Amino acid sequence: MNNYIEDKFSLKGQLAWVTGAVYGIGFAIASAYARAGASIAFNARSNEAIEEGLANYKAAGITDVKGYVFDVTDEQKVKEGVAQMEKDFGKKVSILVNNAGIIKRIPMTEMSAADFRQVIDIDLNAPFICSKAVIPGMIEMGGGKIINICSMMSELGRETVSAYAAAKGGLKMLTKNICSEYGQYNIQCNGIGPGYIATPQTAPLRERQADGSRHPFDQFIVAKTPMARWGNPEDLEGPALFLASHASDFVNGHILYVDGGILAYIGKQP
Ligand code: NAP
Ligand code: GCO
């Protein structure tokens, strides 16, 4: 890599914490950061998930990585987890990716308040908790990067995802507010809005039908995407690296949609 590109995109010396990065989008982003030189911290809710994640990183040839068992909704455990990872690596978290998230696909009038609250808690309250845990350290260091994994549902709704859309819409505005409140400390807070990405979260939407045909939603998304395909977690690596690197030091409060063009397209005539 020549010096210009190295200066703009290298993450050498950085500690990146990617929440829930055992597999899927978070794992792809953390792997990209490791290849750009960052040390990686990730968390999961069980020791088994941590072991699964460490095996995945090892298989990808990534060794400068440690896993921590805590739920992103537990403020005390998050604070303790951040203190432990910063002690283990001997440096402050300079890059946070709020990736951990769930979805519950239930018609709103059939959804319990408890289910609604759980989605809001993980997808919106937790990014608040995790960002609050690292911002003081970033201020102390003279700056940092926070990247919130938003969604198409930060802009659009659809049947059965009321809680998720509300959370991701809120996450878009939390992104803009962290930008507004902490930009003065050289902290850039941006979002990535993935389109429809082939991960375990969307597996139910891509399942083959009993007759072997493609799932109707799979066909719908491909017709709505100008690139006529689902995204892969690897499609997010470049955008995520851009937002974590010095190449984006004056990009703040922006949601970068990585959706193959869905948001720009009315859709193919049936
Ligand atoms: P995924 O395959 O379901 O992975 C989500 C990860 O988050 C899992 O490792 C999960 O751990 C972890 N997690 C969930 N709740 C947690 C909690 N309370 N504490 C700690 N970890 C927790 O999802 P994905 O498709 O990679 O999506 C990652 C992010 O991108 C999510 O925020 C999602 O909303 C967003 N997104 C996804 C798409 C898409 O099409 N896939 C598009 C736009 C945005 P467990 O294994 O324990 O559940
Ligand atoms: C759904 C999907 C979407 C994607 C993603 C799109 O049920 O519509 O799960 O919500 O996960 O958020 O950007």
Side-chain angles (χ1 to χ4, degrees):
M1 191 186 307
N2 67 48
N3 289 341
Y4 177 79
I5 296 295
E6 177 86 14
D7 291 347
K8 288 291 184 189
F9 291 97
S10 172
L11 301 184
K12 280 181 186 161
Q14 308 269 1
L15 174 56
W17 168 31
V18 184
T19 67
V22 172
Y23 51 81
I25 288 171
F27 175 79
I29 290 174
S31 300
Y33 289 179
R35 293 190 176 98
S39 301
I40 303 299
F42 72 100
N43 68 290
R45 290 178 284 192
S46 67
N47 282 309
E48 292 73 20
I50 294 297
E51 291 310 313
E52 177 189 349
L54 290 172
N56 291 340
Y57 287 107
K58 184 177 180 183
I62 293 165
T63 55
D64 188 8
V65 56
K66 296 184 191 304
Y68 299 85
V69 180
F70 59 86
D71 187 311
V72 290
T73 62
D74 184 330
E75 185 166 22
Q76 187 53 36
K77 294 293 186 189
V78 165
K79 285 178 183 175
E80 291 167 6
V82 170
Q84 190 60 52
M85 62 181 75
E86 293 185 339
K87 179 183 176 191
D88 290 346
F89 285 98
K91 60 184 86 167
K92 297 283 187 188
V93 172
S94 54
I95 300 163
L96 165 63
V97 180
N98 284 306
N99 164 78
I102 66 167
I103 190 167
K104 289 181 184 284
R105 300 182 182 95
I106 305 168
M108 196 184 92
T109 53
E110 298 169 26
M111 188 175 214
S112 69
D115 274 340
F116 191 94
R117 287 194 187 99
Q118 187 187 18
V119 174
I120 297 291
D121 205 20
I122 295 170
D123 293 8
L124 179 56
N125 295 344
F128 157 75
I129 287 169
C130 295
S131 301
K132 203 171 82 160
V134 300
I135 285 172
M138 289 180 173
I139 292 173
E140 195 180 307
M141 284 192 297
K145 302 279 190 177
I146 296 175
I147 296 143
N148 293 322
I149 307 300
C150 297
S151 161
M152 301 281 298
M153 275 58 210
S154 297
E155 302 294 343
L156 303 172
R158 82 172 186 86
E159 300 79 3
T160 76
V161 298
S162 60
Y164 184 83
K168 293 300 188 179
L171 186 56
K172 175 176 76 170
M173 286 317 301
L174 178 63
T175 301
K176 292 174 185 276
N177 213 76
I178 292 172
C179 149
S180 304
E181 195 164 2
Y182 296 100
Q184 63 185 301
Y185 302 106
N186 190 34
I187 294 172
Q188 292 86 51
C189 184
N190 293 287
I192 288 177
Y196 280 80
I197 312 296
T199 70
Q201 192 243 52
T202 56
L205 306 175
R206 292 176 283 109
E207 281 172 353
R208 284 278 173 182
Q209 305 299 281
D211 64 4
S213 63
R214 285 167 51 206
H215 193 295
F217 197 88
D218 173 5
Q219 298 179 55
F220 168 67
I221 287 303
V222 170
K224 284 285 283 182
T225 307
M227 294 185 70
R229 68 171 175 88
W230 284 71
N232 296 305
E234 294 71 28
D235 289 319
L236 297 163
E237 291 180 15
L241 177 56
F242 167 66
L243 289 177
S245 71
H246 289 304
S248 63
D249 280 353
F250 203 57
V251 178
N252 210 359
H254 183 75
I255 311 299
L256 178 55
Y257 286 97
V258 186
D259 66 356
I262 295 180
L263 282 176
Y265 184 39
I266 195 170
K268 192 179 296 303
Q269 181 181 347

